[in-house]
Amino acid sequence: MNRRPFIAGNWKMYKTGPEAVQTATQLAGLCSNIKNTEVMIAPTNLSLPLVAQALKNTDVKVGAQNLYFEKQGAFTGEVSADMIKAAGAEYTLIGHSERRQYFGETDESVCQKIKASLGAGLKPVFCIGETKEQREQGNTYFVLDKQVSDGLKGLGLGELSDLVLAYEPVWAIGTGLTAGIEQVEKVHKHLRSLLEKLFSSDLADRTRILYGGSVKPENVKDLMGIEDVDGALVGGASLDAEKFINIIKYNE
Ligand code: 13P
């Protein structure tokens, strides 16, 4: 199966609107001759419409970092999937470990958010990953299996064609520590067979599985060389267009 490489930047809580537009515009210019790789950036929800507008006729796509699963209502401070979609996003991150860690995101709310995204026509980038303690206790696969099966509970095969999975070991995020090639290889292979077990071999074959956690220009080529790694979800190194383009052009 030929899965299109996908390199995504998670800008977390960085950049004001004007700063985000400036970096996005610079990045789009640098990406003008990128053909095979799909590129996406996820700015803050506040910058999202500005960035989407700036990237309108370019090859760089836009995603949100989070949304709330209810359609509308008295939910002060929240933003719905329809609002994100109307702002110009094509993707949305769901279940990032920082949301699980600091904002009480659970497998159940992740599942509701994935459903809300798909219902609004947004493609979810479903983030999973184990903590350092969970890995040290030998629970990595148990944790990942639970995150995947609970996060996708109640979803049918036909609804998941736009799903992207992102494996981000929590201990590798923002720490400079990247999981070893062999560790990444094993987990990605495991995740693909889990998708096969839960859904079908065709879906497992088609679903792109990204790696995230201290991806940088120096290690992206080795990571992308792993058979079951179809892309990268990049935090810190995506904030600078010149640096991020060196990740996007990992093959050159
Ligand atoms: P870093 O690339 O800064 O480690 O962040 C990874 C991440 O959390 C992307 O979602």
Side-chain angles (χ1 to χ4, degrees):
M1 169 59 66
N2 206 0
R3 294 179 293 266
R4 189 175 180 211
F6 187 28
I7 307 283
N10 173 8
W11 284 359
K12 307 192 178 185
M13 200 175 74
Y14 289 99
K15 298 183 188 292
T16 61
E19 287 164 354
V21 167
Q22 189 186 30
T23 310
T25 308
Q26 188 190 358
L27 181 68
L30 295 169
C31 283
S32 59
N33 57 355
I34 306 280
K35 287 285 160 274
N36 288 329
T37 302
E38 187 172 1
V39 179
M40 183 270 271
I41 48 175
T44 66
N45 281 348
L46 201 56
S47 302
L48 185 73
L50 303 170
V51 169
Q53 183 63 31
L55 295 178
K56 212 165 186 164
N57 296 311
T58 74
D59 291 328
V60 180
K61 298 178 172 167
V62 185
Q65 297 173 18
N66 179 41
L67 49 76
Y68 190 53
F69 51 78
E70 292 288 354
K71 265 201 113 41
Q72 61 178 16
F75 302 105
T76 302
E78 294 298 320
V79 174
S80 74
D82 286 338
M83 293 170 192
I84 297 285
K85 176 79 176 168
E90 180 172 335
Y91 285 93
T92 178
L93 308 184
I94 302 284
H96 191 281
S97 65
E98 286 149 18
R99 298 223 48 91
R100 295 179 190 256
Q101 204 175 341
Y102 307 126
F103 302 101
E105 194 85 87
T106 61
D107 291 333
E108 290 67 38
S109 61
V110 164
C111 181
Q112 286 172 294
K113 289 181 179 193
I114 291 175
K115 287 177 180 159
S117 309
L118 293 168
L122 288 167
K123 301 171 183 170
V125 178
F126 172 23
C127 306
I128 55 167
E130 83 286 3
T131 62
K132 186 163 174 279
E133 293 69 35
Q134 289 165 336
R135 177 165 280 271
E136 284 169 358
Q137 286 160 5
N139 289 332
T140 300
Y141 292 133
F142 173 79
V143 169
L144 297 175
D145 289 5
K146 181 167 166 22
Q147 288 175 341
V148 173
S149 51
D150 287 358
L152 299 178
K153 198 175 261 170
L155 282 156
L157 191 53
E159 297 168 281
L160 293 173
S161 54
D162 285 333
L163 180 79
V164 177
L165 200 56
Y167 170 55
E168 299 201 298
V170 179
W171 47 273
I173 294 178
T175 56
L177 295 172
T178 320
I181 295 298
E182 211 171 294
Q183 285 172 318
V184 178
E185 197 163 32
K186 276 193 191 151
V187 170
H188 279 238
K189 203 176 162 69
H190 175 85
L191 292 172
R192 205 172 297 287
S193 49
L194 179 64
L195 289 176
E196 177 171 358
K197 207 165 74 187
L198 293 174
F199 298 99
S200 74
S201 63
D202 183 53
L203 185 89
D205 223 26
R206 280 188 287 121
T207 303
R208 291 180 292 181
I209 308 178
L210 318 183
Y211 169 79
S214 300
V215 176
K216 37 190 184 248
E218 296 77 29
N219 61 18
V220 64
K221 197 169 178 176
D222 287 344
L223 289 162
M224 291 300 288
I226 301 172
E227 192 184 329
D228 286 303
V229 172
D230 308 306
L233 182 52
V234 187
S238 72
L239 293 168
D240 179 284
E242 298 279 359
K243 199 167 189 177
F244 194 32
I245 194 67
N246 286 320
I247 294 179
I248 295 164
K249 292 186 175 178
Y250 62 92
N251 239 346
E252 292 177 18

